[in-house]
């Protein structure tokens, strides 16, 4: 165990063979206790390394080092866990960069993460302690906190890739494969609060299209050969949901506003191609089934005027804008 | 010893049933979409006789025959033979030829379009039996046979008709029919409920778990072939070689 020693920089690290610092007179060099290993078990992944699939939380559809700021719907905390060996005599000491939040119970195996109020990223560190001094072993990972679920999902899934069955994406060095299809409503729900599994029917997003949150309603003017138009949708804020209804009242599509002008984001969010039949191209339909950004309100412009489905004419489409609950 | 004999007997029963865990009907056997056809076709493949159709024998060069053998024999990494065989799997290739070249698929996926962004996807295993349904029926996938009596209910019969003809909202009919898709249902039974799918896809694994080959079928012929993950793997390989 360490006794009285100089704490001058350069004199202390036992792992450093060549020390240039000189100890204070009468005191021996300060050596850090040589604990064997510090290991951060959770998160498995790290923002600054090439990750593998084990860093992906399949049921939650995010990497385990990705958080969101406090206060957003569906806010969560990151799961931290680590070991220092041998313990005893060594104990743990966790620290987290302020940009990534703060920690409670920072000497336990699983400190509690408190997310920050704004987005950021920073290092999570675990060091071994002995006799109140830092030991030689240490471990570090980097975590990232997003402003909302939309920012995190958009960072992960991006645009221009399939969201149909067996879609996959590569991010932070890991290729993640999905055995299931993501649809527009499923992504709208996940972008809001991280809930669901990416596939949802209209019933899965009723909380996002409530009449009390309705901001604007317009009707699409369809044309015989596509290229229809719609009136302006007014001011669109980040998280607003744009919903498209057929003339028979069925909810056909939803998309989430990013706050960047009229931009929206979501799965299967590429505007329909003419004549606007349901289903992916492989089934003879006109849906792209891609992760995409697209201008709010444009999704149904290419639906042919008078298009019939199930024996009923489904045009004109109505577009409704709902503010984020 | 007794257990071994029983196991063998069970395996023989499975083979006799066309690979499914239940005895298939005559109609099952006549389905042209792999599955119950997998047994006899794969037997031909294992025998090394590639001439399932006259076209096969003409079109496959010795190199491709070797790639085909390697594809079927390789359990872990089929990427290299897959790359050689991809040019052969052109649009219009009969499904029986695909099976002769690649062997039986790991899964067969049937898609039914309900509405915009809404589909029912049914996944059959390599024995032609339902293993998964998406979206999952309320209460989960029910055991085989548990819903049999409900299929005779008038409202179910009406829903089956509406779903197949597309004369009315398919989503409404799907709500009634989805719970009736049970585990281990054969394709024939699914087809009796929902009619033929809008899309059939044969799924082959090239490299577990991320690289697959999706052979889209239309009228029992290849409509297109996709290899999600294969390009990414190549990119990763090439970037790893970079200085």
């Amino acid at each position: 165990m360490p006794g009285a020693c100089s704490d001058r920089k350069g004199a202390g690290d036992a792992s450093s063979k060549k020390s240039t610092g000189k100890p204070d007179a009468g005191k021996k060099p300060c050596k850090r206790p040589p604990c064997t290993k510090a290991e951060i078990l959770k998160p498995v992944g790290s923002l600054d390394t090439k990750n593998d699939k084990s860093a992906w939380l399949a049921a939650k559809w995010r990497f385990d080092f990705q958080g969101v700021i406090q206060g957003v719907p569906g806010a969560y905390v990151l799961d931290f866990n680590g070991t220092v060996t041998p313990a005893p005599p060594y104990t743990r000491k966790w620290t987290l960069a302020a940009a990534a939040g703060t920690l409670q119970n920072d000497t336990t195996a699983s400190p509690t993460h408190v997310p920050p109020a704004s987005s950021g990223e920073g290092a999570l560190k675990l060091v071994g302690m002995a006799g109140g001094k830092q030991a030689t072993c240490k471990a570090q990972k980097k975590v990232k906190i997003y402003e909302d679920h939309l920012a995190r999902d958009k960072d992960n899934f991006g645009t221009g890739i399939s969201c149909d069955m067996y879609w996959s994406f590569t991010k932070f060095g890991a290729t993640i494969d999905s055995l299931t299809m993501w649809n527009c409503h499923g992504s709208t729900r996940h972008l809001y609060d991280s809930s669901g599994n990416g596939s949802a029917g209209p019933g899965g997003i009723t909380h996002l299209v409530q009449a009390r949150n309705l901001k604007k309603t317009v009707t699409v003017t369809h044309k015989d050969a596509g290229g229809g138009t719609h009136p302006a949708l007014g001011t669109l804020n980040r998280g607003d949901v744009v919903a498209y209804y057929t003339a028979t009242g069925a909810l056909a599509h939803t998309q989430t506003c990013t706050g960047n002008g009229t931009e929206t984001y979501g799965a299967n969010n590429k505007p329909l191609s003419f004549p606007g039949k349901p289903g992916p191209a492989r089934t003879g339909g006109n849906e792209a089934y891609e992760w995409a950004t697209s201008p709010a309100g444009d999704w149904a412009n290419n639906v042919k005027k008078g298009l019939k489905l199930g024996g009923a004419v489904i045009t004109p489409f109505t577009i409704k804008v709902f503010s984020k609950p | 010893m007794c257990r071994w004999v029983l196991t063998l007997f069970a395996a023989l029963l499975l083979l006799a049933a066309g690979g499914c865990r239940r005895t298939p009907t005559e109609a099952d056997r006549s389905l042209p979409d792999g599955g119950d056809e997998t047994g006899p076709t794969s037997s031909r493949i294992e025998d090394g006789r590639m001439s399932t159709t006259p076209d096969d024998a003409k079109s496959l060069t010795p190199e491709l025959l070797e790639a085909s053998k390697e594809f079927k024999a390789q359990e872990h990494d089929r990427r290299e033979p897959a790359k050689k065989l991809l040019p052969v799997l052109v649009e219009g290739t009969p499904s029986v030829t695909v099976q002769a070249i690649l062997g039986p698929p790991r899964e067969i996926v049937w898609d039914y379009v309900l509405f915009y962004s809404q589909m029912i996807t049914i996944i059959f295993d390599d024995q032609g039996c339902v293993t998964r349904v998406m979206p999952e029926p309320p209460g989960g996938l029910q055991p085989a046979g548990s819903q049999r009596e409900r299929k005779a209910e008038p409202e179910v019969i009406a829903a089956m008709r509406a779903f197949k003809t597309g004369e009315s909202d398919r989503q409404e009919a799907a709500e009634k029919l989805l719970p009736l898709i049970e585990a281990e249902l054969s394709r024939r039974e699914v087809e009796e409920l929902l009619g033929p799918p809008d899309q059939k896809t044969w799924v082959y694994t090239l490299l577990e778990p991320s690289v697959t080959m999706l052979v889209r079928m239309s009228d029992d012929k290849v409509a297109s072939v996709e290899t999600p993950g294969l390009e990414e793997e190549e990119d990763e390989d090439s970037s790893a070689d970079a200085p």
Side-chain angles (χ1 to χ4, degrees), chain A residues 25-168:
Chain A
K27 290 183 180 176
K28 52 188 178 180
C30 204
K31 288 188 177 179
R32 287 184 177 170
C35 57
T36 309
K37 189 180 182 185
E39 188 178 11
I40 296 177
L41 303 172
K42 288 182 182 178
V44 172
S46 180
L47 181 65
D48 56 357
T49 59
K50 187 178 190 299
N51 293 278
D52 66 26
K53 292 174 199 293
S54 58
W56 180 250
L57 301 174
K60 296 176 179 174
W61 290 91
R62 63 173 170 83
F63 288 96
D64 63 355
F65 55 86
Q66 293 180 307
V68 290
I69 64 171
Q70 56 181 269
V72 299
Y76 59 89
V77 298
L78 294 177
D79 200 4
F80 297 149
N81 181 265
T83 60
V84 171
T85 51
Y90 298 100
T91 57
R92 305 172 187 84
K93 175 65 179 174
W94 294 86
T95 56
L96 180 63
T102 56
L103 294 175
Q104 294 173 345
N105 309 314
D106 62 1
T107 58
T108 64
S110 302
T112 306
H113 176 223
V114 179
S118 56
S119 58
E121 57 188 57
L124 171 72
K125 294 179 182 175
L126 171 64
V127 297
M129 301 291 289
K133 287 197 171 290
Q134 185 178 324
T136 53
C137 56
K138 58 188 176 185
Q140 178 173 322
K141 298 218 170 162
K142 195 171 184 183
V143 302
K144 182 166 184 174
I145 309 297
Y146 295 83
E147 69 173 298
D148 51 22
H149 309 280
L150 164 61
R152 184 205 55 225
D153 286 357
K154 193 161 182 266
D155 192 22
N156 285 338
F157 308 141
T159 59
I161 62 165
S162 170
C163 61
D164 201 352
M165 271 198 75
Y166 301 103
W167 66 283
S168 70

Side-chain angles (χ1 to χ4, degrees), chain A residues 204-312:
Chain A
I205 56 160
T206 49
H207 57 302
L208 301 177
V209 290
Q210 292 286 316
R212 64 174 177 272
N213 295 326
L214 182 61
K215 289 170 69 174
K216 182 91 174 176
T217 302
V218 301
T219 302
V220 178
T221 301
H222 300 275
K223 295 182 178 172
D224 290 333
T229 57
H230 61 83
L233 299 180
T235 303
L236 300 169
N237 299 318
R238 186 177 180 85
D240 286 353
V241 171
V242 180
Y244 298 73
Y245 296 83
T246 65
T248 56
L251 180 59
H253 183 68
T254 52
Q255 53 193 191
T256 304
C257 297
T258 64
N260 179 22
T262 62
E263 183 185 73
T264 67
Y265 179 66
N268 198 16
N269 193 38
K270 213 169 175 180
L272 292 168
S273 55
F274 181 80
K277 290 194 290 184
R282 59 189 167 80
T283 65
N286 300 111
E287 297 182 86
Y289 274 87
E290 275 183 22
W291 285 98
T293 54
S294 66
D298 284 3
W299 182 80
N301 280 358
N302 286 323
V303 176
K304 184 182 180 183
K305 184 180 179 182
L307 185 72
K308 279 188 175 180
L309 200 62

Side-chain angles (χ1 to χ4, degrees), chain B residues 95-113:
Chain B
S95 59
V96 68
T97 305
V98 174
Q99 197 155 300
I101 294 170
L102 302 180
R106 185 195 73 198
E107 288 179 338
I108 293 175
V109 179
W110 282 14
D111 287 316
Y112 294 87
V113 175

Side-chain angles (χ1 to χ4, degrees), chain A residues 166 177 183 276 282 287 310, chain B residues 107 111 116-117 121 167 199 210:
Chain A
Y166 301 103
D177 312 293
N183 68 2
R282 59 189 167 80
E287 297 182 86
Chain B
E107 288 179 338
D111 287 316
Y116 295 101
S117 238
T121 299
E167 286 169 0
Q199 173 73 50
S210 58

